[in-house]
Amino acid sequence: MLLVVAFAAGETTADERLDFFESKVRPLLVQHCYECHSVETGESSGELLVDTREALRSGGTRGPAVVPGEPEESLLLRAVTYEDGELEMPPEGRLEDEQIEVLRKWIEDGAVDPREPDGDAPAEDETAEVDPADHWAFQKVHSPAAPRHADGQSSRLDAFVADHLRSRDDGLQVNPPADPATLVRRLYYDLTGLPPSREQVDAYLDNSRPDAYERLVDRLLASPQFGERFGRHWLDVARYADTVGYTLAGRERRLAGSHQYRDWVIAAFNRDLPFDAMIRYQLAADRLDPENLDGHLDAMGFLTVGRRFLNRNDTIDDRIDVVSRGLLGLTVACARCHDHKFDPIPTVDYYALYGVMRSSRLKEDGPSPLMLEDHKPSDARVFIRGQAGNRGEVAPRRFLTALRTPAEPAQHWQLKTGSGRLDLAEKIATTENPLTGRVFVNRVWTHLIGTPLVNTPSDFGVRSPQPQIPELLEDLAADFYRDWSVKRLVRRIVMTDIYRRSSHTSPAALQADPENECFARATRRRRDFESLRDALLVVSKHLRSQVGGEPVDLQGTPTPPRRTVYAFIDRQNLPGVFRIFDFASPDAHTPRRPYTTVPQQALFMMNDPTVLAAAGRVADFAQRSVETSSAGTEGSGAGTGGDAETELVRAIYETVLARAPSETELRTALAFLELPQSEMEPLPDPRALWQYGFSTVGEDLTAKSFEPFTHYHDGRWQHPDFAKGGKFRYLQLTRTGGHPGPGNDLATNRRWTAPADGRCRVIGTMEHPSMNGNGVQMTIATENRVLWQTHLAKRPRPYGPITFRVRKGQAIDFLTSDKGDLNSDSFYWKIAIQFEGDHGERIESDSESDFSGPWQQGEQQPLGRAEQLAHALLMSNEFIFVD
């Protein structure tokens, strides 16, 4: 009954990796390394240069500084993490954690580096050689000529595809329409993110009206679930989260009012607020609705819900990036250190926008906590090579060079009204802008069709090729510019034959068009994480329909009955299940989610309490439905035992898959229900193996007591008196680490308890990230025996594997205590435990993915046969995939 979860994996493109280097890595190297390791300064300490690709890879006296794809083998990473006491760079102080993570990600992704020995930046006039008029995306949007073969086509868009297919010589043919039940399922998924019920499917199948499909489209567009679905798409663009990111100890992590931006986005899509108005409010609502009379100040979360970096320049860079890539499809952040290597974006353009963002600040005690206000508007100077201490020419606040025309007077380019944000919004939200409409309709098309028109959704620069059928993008953009209506755009796309085609794929079609760029078939798609979790709630009758509100922690048990769009998104502690299912990173703008295939996805569907609970509720609902139906037929001679089991199978299929089982499926399921019940005990919920508290540590470094934490808030377990200050103020455990209290009586203890007799293997990493204080004592102990211990200060280190036997119920303590000085004792500690029981039990515990707040632990019983049948259907491709 269990089908394998398999789907195409998405990868980061070479262009995206190059942009990451230009916008994130190069500025770090320039700012922190060039002074001692570059040709320009004449310094090569340790015979190491870092200003070219080959110099980094060949290295200095110690060997290669960078080994592409191998961060642990790269001396550069070892130096910046201060892992080696004899190799600590930069010498003036350790980089921030988020900066180290940038270098780690860069190396993991292959260390893409375009720098050549003859110079690491383009010549000053190189950008000017790129004429915007020569690139298709910079030309004014025009409605294309009428298609040549419009007869028999449902729409202009279908006719453009027909024209293109006739011009090919490979005989590629379009697929027939999808069957009606599949089409209903697809439409519900795309417009609401929720599965239809059997009753909803049947209502459509039984509707003989010629406009039945059109009426269903309109009904779904009018539902509040539409805004929740498309709102989540936009939150990917806006790098939405509910925390500020990395903070120093004692600072508030919660991003005040973040959910108000999320709710504004959902409401805007539901109201069909014109997209040009959405842009203006998101950039400059303080100018358009200063008293928040219409509730639009919350829209400014587009700028302010991003990560709050410790370095303000990085926060400004993040805002430039989300505006330029999110709205314009241009990688302006790549011009932070030098003129853009490919696009007509000189460095002065970057610092023109830098001046706009620097002239804005969060308004304290304003009508919205997300509100920006103008503050001392002024132009900025260019940071030569991205170095804040090396200032160059003034960069007047003005619009981008690539989108200006020589005929326009200079004042028309200026962004001088206050900070310039309103002027910037007007330059973006205009039909004269060739990028805004193209970029947005391409995003919407991708969400609905699955294959983009432009394969780099946030980079329409000169490296982006024109779509294979350019008329599709042009016609959509020109029509969208009529009224900027998102719902009308969506309606137009889903009414096409392109959208309604079958996803069946023949070998000949795959060979002719492997990426489906000609749209001759529908693209088979897996549910994203939000839709998958929401579908589990819907079919198990556990979803509560409530639009908006405070974010909820999805890690609790039972799982909260809210849609996943309302999840609490913690930048520092994003739950493992989010990452497993390719959730958008909240750290930066996400052009398009990747889709990967990893074993953990199948393991989640097999073992996660949320899925198992859903299976139980499905079976219970189906059983009650059968009993209700049987009660209504008493005395009629119906309702025998065999009939009841048949009806139970049908009820489970209809609840999960919104259809009746086939005869073969029915026979197989009935035979399955007749099998003897398994006697095997269920594996424990992984969260049940962990406890969070504090201990007194003896002279032998083992725990002499254990007191569980009783207060959980904002992703932290703490003592209930933490708010009073004193010795409990900093004492806490989080998903990734924590902070001890003063002395040996207040050591944090993340305790794991063995579920059976067997053997354990422990491995992981730990870090004391601060360059202040004297570090922490970290100990792994059990009963009166130390298994492993270290004094860790100002560096990370791996540990393990540590192997040992355990008895059922034996506690393993992961203890962290101060070393007599409580200053800067925050720590990270990643723990992976592989347990193999003497009777074949196998459990893998992970301190991060298993971390949880309070949850209700009931007596866990093996799933009954009906529950197992429901569970198998929940794990099937038919449930997990859209088609």
Side-chain angles (χ1 to χ4, degrees):
M1 300 296 292
L2 172 62
L3 303 180
V4 177
V5 180
F7 40 88
E11 297 181 353
T12 305
T13 67
D15 286 349
E16 289 172 338
R17 293 194 291 270
L18 180 57
D19 291 341
F20 185 81
F21 173 84
E22 295 292 0
S23 62
K24 304 296 182 184
V25 179
R26 189 194 291 260
L28 273 179
L29 297 177
V30 169
Q31 182 176 355
H32 296 286
C33 306
Y34 274 30
E35 184 176 350
C36 300
H37 302 278
S38 67
V39 171
E40 182 181 13
T41 61
E43 297 288 341
S44 58
S45 180
E47 299 184 17
L48 171 66
L49 294 172
V50 302
D51 51 356
T52 68
R53 177 182 63 248
E54 295 307 319
L56 262 180
R57 296 185 181 184
S58 60
T61 56
R62 288 175 173 260
V66 167
V67 181
E70 302 290 343
E72 302 306 323
E73 302 298 323
S74 299
L75 289 175
L76 175 65
L77 199 63
R78 187 186 306 174
V80 298
T81 57
Y82 282 36
E83 185 176 325
D84 185 339
E86 298 180 359
L87 183 64
E88 298 182 345
M89 296 294 168
E92 67 270 14
R94 184 177 180 276
L95 296 179
E96 297 168 7
D97 291 335
E98 49 207 17
Q99 294 172 318
I100 294 173
E101 195 55 37
V102 163
L103 295 175
R104 184 186 304 277
K105 174 175 170 53
W106 171 59
I107 297 172
E108 282 179 347
D109 287 346
V112 170
D113 185 346
R115 299 172 303 160
E116 300 292 343
D118 292 333
D120 74 337
E124 290 185 3
D125 61 348
E126 183 174 331
T127 296
E129 296 176 2
V130 180
D131 186 352
D134 294 336
H135 181 51
W136 66 270
F138 296 151
Q139 298 173 25
K140 185 177 175 62
V141 172
H142 290 289
S143 182
R148 296 186 301 277
H149 303 96
D151 292 343
Q153 301 298 324
S154 297
S155 69
R156 277 172 61 91
L157 301 179
D158 294 308
F160 286 131
V161 170
D163 281 356
H164 177 76
L165 292 178
R166 290 192 182 209
S167 70
R168 295 171 64 99
D169 56 8
D170 55 12
L172 181 63
Q173 299 293 315
V174 299
N175 273 9
D179 66 86
T182 296
L183 191 57
V184 173
R185 176 183 168 91
R186 185 187 300 170
L187 200 60
Y188 268 84
Y189 167 79
D190 284 329
L191 300 194
T192 72
L194 302 175
S197 66
R198 174 66 188 270
E199 294 74 20
Q200 290 168 326
V201 173
D202 286 348
Y204 177 76
L205 298 182
D206 295 339
N207 192 336
S208 59
R209 293 179 59 118
D211 62 347
Y213 179 78
E214 185 175 358
R215 290 166 67 88
L216 177 60
V217 170
D218 290 340
R219 182 165 63 81
L220 296 181
L221 285 173
S223 71
Q225 289 74 38
F226 172 79
E228 292 173 323
R229 181 63 172 162
F230 269 74
R232 182 58 252 186
H233 291 326
W234 187 250
L235 295 180
D236 284 8
V237 174
R239 80 274 187 249
Y240 173 82
D242 296 299
T243 62
V244 299
Y246 177 77
T247 62
L248 299 176
R251 284 183 55 187
E252 176 59 45
R253 297 174 60 252
R254 178 75 168 89
L255 207 162
S258 57
H259 65 286
Q260 295 170 216
Y261 173 65
R262 176 245 291 148
D263 291 349
W264 181 88
V265 169
I266 291 172
F269 280 114
N270 273 334
R271 292 168 48 200
D272 201 18
L273 185 69
F275 187 66
D276 60 337
M278 288 183 66
I279 293 173
R280 294 186 183 95
Y281 287 129
Q282 289 179 104
L283 298 185
D286 57 317
R287 287 270 174 172
L288 303 171
D289 186 17
E291 301 302 322
N292 208 27
L293 298 179
D294 297 318
H296 291 306
L297 283 179
D298 296 333
M300 302 195 75
F302 181 72
L303 295 174
T304 58
V305 298
R307 180 182 281 270
R308 305 282 173 83
F309 294 86
L310 300 179
N311 183 336
R312 185 173 180 237
N313 292 333
D314 292 334
T315 300
I316 291 175
D317 180 78
D318 171 70
R319 292 174 181 175
I320 292 172
D321 183 61
V322 76
V323 170
S324 60
R325 284 202 295 154
L327 299 176
L328 294 170
L330 289 178
T331 55
V332 175
C334 292
R336 183 176 180 179
C337 296
H338 58 78
D339 291 349
H340 200 289
K341 194 172 182 64
F342 303 101
D343 296 334
I345 306 173
T347 304
V348 71
D349 274 6
Y350 176 90
Y351 288 96
L353 298 185
Y354 178 95
V356 171
M357 298 302 169
R358 189 188 66 174
S359 299
S360 308
R361 69 175 181 184
L362 280 169
K363 182 176 176 60
E364 296 183 5
D365 302 321
S368 169
L370 303 173
M371 176 185 181
L372 287 176
E373 65 175 348
D374 297 340
H375 178 66
K376 298 180 179 178
S378 62
D379 298 330
R381 288 186 176 274
V382 171
F383 295 177
I384 298 176
R385 294 190 178 276
Q387 295 175 293
N390 190 7
R391 305 296 175 95
E393 63 177 305
V394 172
R397 285 169 291 145
R398 61 188 183 189
F399 199 45
L400 300 173
T401 301
L403 301 179
R404 303 195 305 245
T405 60
E408 292 178 304
Q411 61 267 26
H412 187 69
W413 309 340
Q414 294 177 354
L415 309 175
K416 296 290 188 179
T417 303
S419 64
R421 282 181 289 103
L422 179 58
D423 294 336
L424 177 62
E426 295 293 351
K427 292 297 181 187
I428 295 173
T430 173
T431 58
E432 297 300 311
N433 190 311
L435 290 173
T436 311
R438 288 186 174 114
V439 169
F440 185 73
V441 300
N442 185 60
R443 295 195 196 282
V444 173
W445 176 275
T446 304
H447 292 314
L448 296 172
I449 302 299
T451 302
L453 295 166
V454 178
N455 202 37
T456 51
S458 295
D459 184 0
F460 276 50
V462 297
R463 290 173 293 173
S464 63
Q466 194 169 20
Q468 188 157 142
I469 310 178
E471 294 86 358
L472 289 176
L473 183 65
E474 295 308 293
D475 201 65
L476 285 166
D479 186 62
F480 181 61
Y481 274 161
R482 286 172 46 202
D483 57 10
W484 300 82
S485 168
V486 178
K487 286 189 176 182
R488 193 173 65 82
L489 170 65
V490 171
R491 189 179 192 277
R492 186 181 183 205
I493 294 173
V494 300
M495 290 298 297
T496 63
D497 290 340
I498 299 168
Y499 178 81
R500 292 187 271 186
R501 299 200 213 286
S502 162
S503 61
H504 174 74
T505 304
S506 67
L510 271 179
Q511 183 175 3
D513 185 16
E515 301 301 324
N516 196 26
E517 294 178 323
C518 299
F519 310 108
R521 62 183 184 273
T523 300
R524 188 166 295 161
R525 291 171 288 158
R526 186 204 78 192
R527 289 186 181 276
D528 53 37
F529 172 63
E530 294 93 328
S531 177
L532 179 60
R533 179 183 173 274
D534 291 351
L536 290 170
L537 296 178
V538 168
V539 300
S540 63
K541 316 302 179 186
H542 192 56
L543 179 65
R544 188 173 78 218
S545 298
Q546 174 189 336
V547 178
E550 291 280 346
V552 294
D553 183 0
L554 298 188
Q555 297 300 97
T557 300
T559 188
R562 300 295 311 281
R563 290 199 68 172
T564 313
V565 69
Y566 301 114
F568 180 81
I569 305 300
D570 188 339
R571 282 193 165 92
Q572 286 298 108
N573 301 307
L574 191 67
V577 66
F578 283 63
R579 295 190 295 270
I580 288 170
F581 283 97
D582 306 307
F583 186 79
S585 169
D587 281 332
H589 159 79
T590 299
R592 185 185 180 194
R593 292 191 189 185
Y595 285 91
T596 60
T597 304
V598 294
Q600 290 89 338
Q601 293 161 351
L603 290 173
F604 172 86
M605 296 302 295
M606 291 171 63
N607 302 318
D608 189 84
T610 299
V611 183
L612 298 178
R617 285 193 293 267
V618 167
D620 181 64
F621 173 79
Q623 184 65 56
R624 286 187 283 108
S625 298
V626 171
E627 291 171 355
T628 301
S629 176
S630 298
T633 59
E634 285 184 1
S636 66
T640 65
D643 289 341
E645 288 195 344
T646 297
E647 292 307 311
L648 177 60
V649 170
R650 286 176 174 158
I652 291 174
Y653 264 85
E654 290 174 358
T655 302
V656 176
L657 302 180
R659 66 170 177 84
S662 68
E663 288 300 320
T664 300
E665 289 170 331
L666 180 59
R667 287 195 303 270
T668 303
L670 287 172
F672 176 76
L673 293 181
E674 292 297 323
L675 293 175
Q677 183 69 33
S678 171
E679 297 299 325
M680 182 180 294
E681 290 189 11
L683 294 175
D685 188 308
R687 293 168 296 183
L689 303 179
W690 296 96
Q691 291 178 278
Y692 309 94
F694 58 97
S695 296
T696 295
V697 173
E699 292 183 1
D700 63 354
L701 300 182
T702 65
K704 303 307 177 184
S705 65
F706 179 77
E707 184 172 341
F709 287 126
T710 58
H711 180 82
Y712 180 82
H713 176 70
D714 196 16
R716 309 178 189 190
W717 281 104
Q718 296 170 289
H719 191 280
D721 293 337
F722 81 98
K724 299 178 181 178
K727 64 181 181 179
F728 298 117
R729 179 180 180 186
Y730 297 117
L731 180 66
Q732 62 181 277
L733 282 170
T734 68
R735 185 179 303 278
T736 56
H739 196 294
N744 288 338
D745 291 335
L746 293 175
T748 59
N749 188 347
R750 194 182 301 258
R751 172 171 281 188
W752 184 87
T753 302
D757 296 349
R759 294 193 62 81
C760 281
R761 181 177 185 270
V762 179
I763 193 169
T765 58
M766 52 181 58
E767 181 178 4
H768 177 252
S770 177
M771 295 309 299
N772 301 315
N774 63 349
V776 291
Q777 174 65 39
M778 309 186 82
T779 305
I780 305 175
T782 180
E783 298 174 336
N784 292 315
R785 178 163 59 104
V786 172
L787 301 171
W788 189 89
Q789 64 87 22
T790 187
H791 170 219
L792 191 65
K794 306 175 184 178
R795 66 187 181 95
R797 68 160 297 172
Y799 64 93
I802 306 160
T803 58
F804 50 92
R805 280 200 60 81
V806 292
R807 304 181 316 276
K808 181 176 181 178
Q810 183 175 344
I812 312 301
D813 295 323
F814 296 85
L815 300 154
T816 305
S817 56
D818 74 355
K819 293 288 291 183
D821 179 5
L822 196 61
N823 179 40
S824 302
D825 279 351
S826 291
F827 65 90
Y828 299 139
W829 196 345
K830 167 102 173 149
I831 306 163
I833 302 175
Q834 295 176 340
F835 171 79
E836 183 172 346
D838 291 343
H839 298 289
E841 308 96 328
R842 291 179 179 271
I843 295 175
E844 294 198 5
S845 291
D846 183 283
S847 59
E848 291 187 4
S849 59
D850 296 346
F851 183 83
S852 174
W855 59 286
Q856 299 173 9
Q857 181 179 2
E859 183 178 354
Q860 196 168 6
Q861 299 291 336
L863 294 181
R865 285 299 181 208
E867 294 168 324
Q868 290 173 355
L869 175 60
H871 188 202
L873 296 183
L874 293 174
M875 292 187 290
S876 68
N877 280 358
E878 185 172 346
F879 183 78
I880 292 171
F881 278 74
V882 180
D883 285 3

